[in-house]
């Protein structure tokens, strides 16, 4: 490079500087100045600042069914391999935490990437995913007896997985009584309508027959 002649103070400043530098050739009068002063015999150096490179990253995820193992998010574009943290929220613009959601519903996830020595930090746009309700069927067992018999205990069956620890609050009842006349009486079934499940409910029948003579 060619520029106006430097004075002795400028030469000393560059030589003593501990800043990050990049090499460049000095041409003309400044090269002569350095060589006359005996300060350099190789290319001279000038100070330069190299900025951290930006990154453009995105996150994706596949939803799952309530009670199943959560799927891990996938992050692309983490060029600088900065530390990744995945954050979740029930609302796109809501408060995000590192806790992986477990309840059925719509959710959002985004990734926060820490800066490195050479790359800037970055937070991705949030993307939505769904934890689906678990499908189950609840069936009231049919019962039968004769007039005058003691009413039997009402029971039910379920099909489909119920997550350990979940109480569906199932309650059975019937209008049939020990002295009810012969006929068919409904067995009704109520449950807690847990929002993590989608249930098909089938009620039963309590049949009371005539007692043999």
């Amino acid at each position: 490079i060619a520029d106006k002649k430097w004075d002795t103070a400028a030469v000393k400043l560059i030589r003593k500087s501990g800043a990050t530098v990049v090499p460049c050739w000095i041409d003309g009068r400044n090269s002569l100045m350095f060589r006359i002063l005996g300060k350099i015999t190789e290319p001279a150096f000038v100070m330069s600042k190299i900025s951290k490179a930006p990154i453009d990253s995105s996150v994706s995820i596949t939803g799952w069914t309530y009670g199943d193992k959560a799927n891990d998010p996938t992050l692309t574009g983490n060029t600088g391999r900065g530390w990744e943290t995945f954050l979740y929220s029930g609302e796109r613009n809501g408060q995000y935490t590192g806790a992986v959601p477990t309840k059925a519903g719509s959710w959002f996830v985004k990734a926060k990437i820490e800066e490195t020595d050479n790359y800037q930090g970055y937070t991705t746009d949030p993307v939505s995913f769904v934890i689906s309700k678990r499908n189950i069927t609840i069936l009231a067992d049919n019962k039968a007896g004769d007039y005058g018999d003691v009413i039997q205990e009402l029971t039910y069956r379920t099909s489909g997985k119920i997550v350990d620890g979940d109480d569906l609050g199932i309650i059975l009842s019937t209008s049939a009584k020990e002295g009810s006349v012969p006929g068919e009486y409904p067995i009704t079934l109520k449950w807690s309508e847990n929002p993590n499940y989608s249930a098909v409910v089938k009620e039963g029948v309590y049949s009371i027959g005539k007692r043999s003579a």
Side-chain angles (χ1 to χ4, degrees):
I1 57 174
D3 57 10
K4 66 180 182 178
K5 185 176 180 179
W6 294 340
D7 57 23
T8 304
V11 174
K12 291 181 178 180
L13 177 62
I14 293 176
R15 185 167 184 263
K16 293 180 179 180
S17 173
T20 302
V21 295
V22 293
C24 65
W25 286 103
I26 303 297
D27 184 48
R29 291 170 298 177
N30 290 328
S31 176
L32 179 60
M33 168 68 76
F34 273 99
R35 295 181 187 280
I36 289 174
L37 294 174
K39 301 301 182 182
I40 63 169
T41 57
E42 297 296 332
F45 292 84
V46 295
M47 292 182 292
S48 176
K49 180 179 180 181
I50 301 177
S51 300
K52 292 185 179 184
I55 61 174
D56 185 8
S57 185
S58 62
V59 65
S60 61
I61 190 172
T62 301
W64 61 92
T65 299
Y66 169 73
D68 289 349
K69 183 180 181 297
N71 291 322
D72 293 327
T74 299
L75 183 65
T76 58
N78 186 4
T79 310
R81 298 185 180 276
W83 184 264
E84 305 165 2
T85 303
F86 295 105
L87 304 170
Y88 301 85
S89 176
E91 300 178 359
R92 177 177 291 274
N93 298 318
Q95 182 176 358
Y96 283 76
T97 71
V100 179
T102 59
K103 304 300 184 183
S106 296
W107 299 90
F108 294 87
V109 62
K110 64 182 180 181
K112 181 179 180 181
I113 304 172
E114 300 296 334
E115 67 177 357
T116 64
D117 290 343
N118 297 315
Y119 290 87
Q120 298 174 8
Y122 190 80
T123 300
T124 68
D125 290 333
V127 295
S128 63
F129 66 97
V130 173
I131 300 178
S132 302
K133 294 184 177 185
R134 181 163 291 281
N135 294 323
I136 59 172
T137 300
I138 310 172
L139 305 94
D141 295 325
N142 293 328
K143 300 292 180 178
D146 291 334
Y147 171 75
D149 288 349
V150 175
I151 297 299
Q152 302 172 35
E153 180 183 0
L154 303 179
T155 57
Y156 66 90
R157 292 167 290 150
T158 62
S159 62
K161 177 183 176 182
I162 297 176
V163 177
D164 290 344
D166 283 354
D167 181 3
L168 300 184
I170 298 172
I171 298 174
L172 298 168
S173 62
T174 182
S175 58
K177 294 180 174 55
E178 185 175 340
S180 295
V181 298
E184 293 187 341
Y185 299 84
I187 298 174
T188 60
L189 187 156
K190 295 182 179 180
W191 71 298
S192 64
E193 299 189 12
N194 187 311
N196 294 311
Y197 294 86
S198 176
V200 174
V201 174
K202 295 184 178 180
E203 298 186 328
V205 174
Y206 202 113
S207 300
I208 297 179
K210 294 181 179 181
R211 180 170 292 281
S212 300

